Amino acid sequence: YSEINGQPKVCNGISACDIKANQSRLNLGARIEWQSQNYPLSSYLLGSQLREKNDNSALNSANTQKKYQSDQYSTHEFGINYQLNNLKTSMNISEGIRTPTLFELFGDRGSFKGNDNLLAEEANTITLGAQYKTKSVNLSSSMYRQDIDNAIVTIFNSSGVGSYTNIGSALVNGFEFQGDASITQNLSMSMKISLIDSQSRSEFSAFDDKKLPGIYHQQYQLALSYQLALHWRIKINSSIDKELYFNRSNKFQSSSGKVGGGNPANRSLTDLSVSWHTKKYNVTCSFNNLFNEHYQDLANRPAQGRSIQLKFSIEDF
């Protein structure tokens, strides 16, 4: 809520004005599980009904018009699992929905405009997964194929002002891997890999057969954790993220901040933390973006550089 000289700013439809927006959701669902008595086989069926209401109105306006919409959606998911000794495999088929968030509908952070005409994303997904687990090693991986309709993406104009829009459809193939291992009694390692191949489909040739904007298509992460002493632990985490595009035509290069060129945005970050903990007290000192990497965030704005955070917590009062 803003004021000028002690008086509320009048909304005239041209300059910015105060907006009040509300969003409420009610999700009702049921899950049925089945476990075989003779084989290491189990399955489940999940169904849910989502009801959502959105409204917004301009304050301090002589002719306020309130935007109101109410929708309901159904989602379904079926999964089957097979476990043999330390190996567990699974298959999942789902029909899901992602409704626009409050900020995607009505805007956020001043220069980021909303779009109250956004449609909900609808996706049909099939996933194959495997997990291998022992006392010292935990490995899991999955492959998925997702067909999305009305995918919500972020676009930017030549002035850098962002907004949201739907694209007709997109096909996404992905692979994910995560591994956790105890190398020694005091040293542990964690590794994550995420690879995505996306292809948008559009009636406009400039947007057809392009990568989806707003997501990293390659992500690699490695973390090491070492127990220095009884109450002391140090952790270092490094990540490399590649292939981030900022608009539907894949022609926006964040490093220069100018329209043109087809090179996606990349970043390489390292975080370091040292912690001291007991049963009741925990103190952590974190050095985020340790090497002060310069990059754009997912909203195409300069991200925070190196930062230091000291956190102290007390439990069991």
Side-chain angles (χ1 to χ4, degrees):
Y1 186 80
S2 58
E3 292 183 350
I4 299 179
N5 296 328
Q7 298 296 324
K9 186 176 182 179
V10 177
C11 177
N12 57 16
I14 300 176
S15 61
C17 55
D18 294 324
I19 299 293
K20 181 179 180 181
N22 297 285
Q23 183 178 78
S24 61
R25 294 175 178 175
L26 177 63
N27 193 15
L28 302 175
R31 180 185 175 102
I32 301 174
E33 296 187 4
W34 172 81
Q35 176 69 56
S36 172
Q37 300 296 322
N38 301 319
Y39 302 97
L41 189 68
S42 64
S43 63
Y44 70 90
L45 179 64
L46 174 66
S48 65
Q49 181 81 8
L50 174 65
R51 298 182 179 181
E52 182 178 271
K53 296 180 179 180
N54 297 286
D55 65 80
N56 81 321
S57 59
L59 305 179
N60 307 316
S61 176
N63 299 311
T64 298
Q65 292 184 350
K66 188 173 185 178
K67 175 75 176 182
Y68 177 83
Q69 62 185 43
S70 179
D71 298 290
Q72 59 181 11
Y73 310 93
S74 297
T75 61
H76 310 86
E77 182 176 339
F78 171 75
I80 184 168
N81 305 308
Y82 182 81
Q83 184 161 357
L84 182 63
N85 299 325
N86 296 326
L87 180 63
K88 179 181 179 181
T89 57
S90 62
M91 182 184 73
N92 306 83
I93 301 174
S94 65
E95 179 184 2
I97 198 87
R98 187 183 83 81
T99 59
T101 65
L102 186 71
F103 296 121
E104 289 173 339
L105 287 169
F106 306 127
D108 182 21
R109 294 182 288 180
S111 62
F112 217 80
K113 297 181 178 180
N115 180 2
D116 54 19
N117 293 315
L118 283 176
L119 302 174
E121 288 185 351
E122 301 178 14
N124 294 312
T125 308
I126 181 169
T127 305
L128 300 176
Q131 182 182 26
Y132 178 79
K133 187 175 183 180
T134 65
K135 185 177 180 180
S136 59
V137 176
N138 186 6
L139 305 176
S140 61
S141 64
S142 64
M143 294 185 298
Y144 61 89
R145 184 179 180 88
Q146 190 173 59
D147 197 348
I148 309 175
D149 288 324
N150 301 322
I152 300 174
V153 298
T154 309
I155 58 176
F156 295 87
N157 62 20
S158 58
S159 300
V161 178
S163 61
Y164 301 98
T165 189
N166 291 110
I167 64 173
S169 61
L171 184 64
V172 178
N173 296 309
F175 169 78
E176 294 183 355
F177 172 83
Q178 179 172 345
D180 301 290
S182 297
I183 301 175
T184 66
Q185 185 176 358
N186 296 327
L187 180 64
S188 60
M189 180 183 68
S190 176
M191 180 174 61
K192 296 181 181 179
I193 298 175
S194 176
L195 303 176
I196 296 176
D197 178 37
S198 65
Q199 180 185 27
S200 61
R201 299 187 288 256
S202 174
E203 59 182 356
F204 302 102
S205 58
F207 305 145
D208 188 47
D209 195 20
K210 303 295 183 179
K211 302 292 185 182
L212 281 179
I215 60 173
Y216 285 103
H217 286 71
Q218 298 182 46
Q219 292 184 287
Y220 310 91
Q221 187 179 74
L222 179 65
L224 293 173
S225 180
Y226 186 74
Q227 189 78 33
L228 294 170
L230 179 61
H231 301 294
W232 290 89
R233 177 176 291 273
I234 184 171
K235 183 177 181 180
I236 185 169
N237 182 85
S238 292
S239 62
I240 299 175
D241 303 311
K242 297 182 176 181
E243 285 195 75
L244 171 67
Y245 298 91
F246 289 105
N247 66 10
R248 298 167 63 186
S249 61
N250 298 169
K251 295 296 184 181
F252 204 99
Q253 186 176 353
S254 77
S255 59
S256 63
K258 299 179 180 179
V259 176
N263 295 328
N266 301 326
R267 68 178 182 183
S268 178
L269 300 177
T270 299
D271 301 327
L272 175 68
S273 66
V274 180
S275 61
W276 175 84
H277 61 90
T278 64
K279 290 183 178 180
K280 291 187 176 182
Y281 307 102
N282 185 61
V283 180
T284 302
C285 184
S286 301
F287 300 86
N288 302 313
N289 193 0
L290 183 63
F291 300 112
N292 200 28
E293 176 82 6
H294 295 279
Y295 65 97
Q296 309 293 102
D297 64 12
L298 296 180
N300 196 31
R301 295 189 175 90
Q304 186 179 30
R306 182 189 299 113
S307 64
I308 302 175
Q309 183 184 55
L310 181 64
K311 182 179 179 180
F312 176 69
S313 61
I314 304 175
E315 298 181 3
D316 299 329
F317 276 101

